[in-house]
Amino acid sequence: MRNQPRWTLPAAVAAAALAATAAAALPAHARHAEAPAGDGPAAAHAAPAAAAAPADWPTYLITVRRGLDPGTVARSYGITPVHVYRHALNGFAAPLSPDQVTALQGTPLVESVEQDGPASGAGATA
C-alpha cells in the first residue's frame, strides 16, 4: 500500500496565503501578540482587556472564515463573545458597538456580520 501526502503543493500554498491574509487583517494590537497558553501572567498581556458592552448595544452573529478559530478572532478585536459556535456555523455571538461592526465587516477574516433577532422555521409544527 502506498502512502499519499496529506498536503499537495497547491493546498499548502493556499493555506499559507490564507494564514498570511489572516495575520495582515488582524488589528495592529493583535498582530505581534503571541497567543500564550494557559492563564498565566503572559495571558493577561496578549490582547487588550475587553470593556463590558453597554446594555443598549445589539447582539450580532459573526461568521468567521473556515479554518479560523472564532474565539481567537473575537479576542483579537477586543470582543468578549456570549457564545462561540463551532458546529452549525464557525463564529460567535456578541454585543457590538457600531465601530466594532464596521471593523468586522471590513476584514477578510469574517464572512458575515448579522444583527441577532427572532427566528422562525417555515412549515415547523409544534
Side-chain angles (χ1 to χ4, degrees), residues 26 29-40 42-47 69 71-73 75-76:
L26 287 174
H29 68 270
R31 273 191 209 135
H32 301 291
E34 293 183 335
D39 297 323
H45 301 293
D69 178 54
T72 301
V73 173
R75 284 189 302 276
S76 71

Side-chain angles (χ1 to χ4, degrees), residues 2-19:
R2 191 172 141 219
N3 288 335
Q4 294 182 352
R6 293 183 71 104
W7 287 88
T8 62
L9 183 58
V13 171
L18 178 60

Side-chain angles (χ1 to χ4, degrees), residues 53-77:
D56 60 340
W57 283 357
T59 300
Y60 287 83
L61 297 174
I62 297 85
T63 305
V64 176
R65 295 230 179 261
R66 183 178 295 249
L68 299 176
D69 178 54
T72 301
V73 173
R75 284 189 302 276
S76 71
Y77 282 87

